[in-house]
Amino acid sequence: MPKAVKGVLVECDESIRAIILKIDAANHDFIIEDLDDHTLVVKETKLLELKRRLEEELRDTQDEPKDSGSEKE
């Protein structure tokens, strides 16, 4: 018998979608359905955890030092 899972529609740009797909790739715990380039259906029970992990990913991306390759002495 089919089992229903409550989901939340998430609309985002393609770069955020790619990060969400990366987060979900390990265990497939978050995404119910990948609808198109800007829309996902995410498990309602996992939404807060997904937001937290997305914020961590974005923070890590922004905190990486930018090395321009030209250091002054």
Side-chain angles (χ1 to χ4, degrees), residues 9 33-37 39-41:
L9 189 66
E33 189 71 37
D34 182 2
L35 300 176
D36 60 32
D37 290 343
T39 314
L40 302 163
V41 179

Side-chain angles (χ1 to χ4, degrees), residues 2-48:
K3 199 175 197 184
V5 178
K6 282 189 177 185
V8 177
L9 189 66
V10 176
E11 294 179 294
C12 55
D13 61 25
E14 292 180 35
S15 61
I16 298 298
R17 179 182 162 271
I19 296 171
I20 293 172
L21 290 173
K22 177 183 158 192
I23 292 169
D24 186 65
N27 297 324
H28 304 290
D29 285 342
F30 300 98
I31 297 174
I32 297 171
E33 189 71 37
D34 182 2
L35 300 176
D36 60 32
D37 290 343
H38 300 280
T39 314
L40 302 163
V41 179
V42 175
K43 292 178 184 175
E44 183 179 52
T45 58
K46 296 286 191 171
L47 184 61
L48 292 177

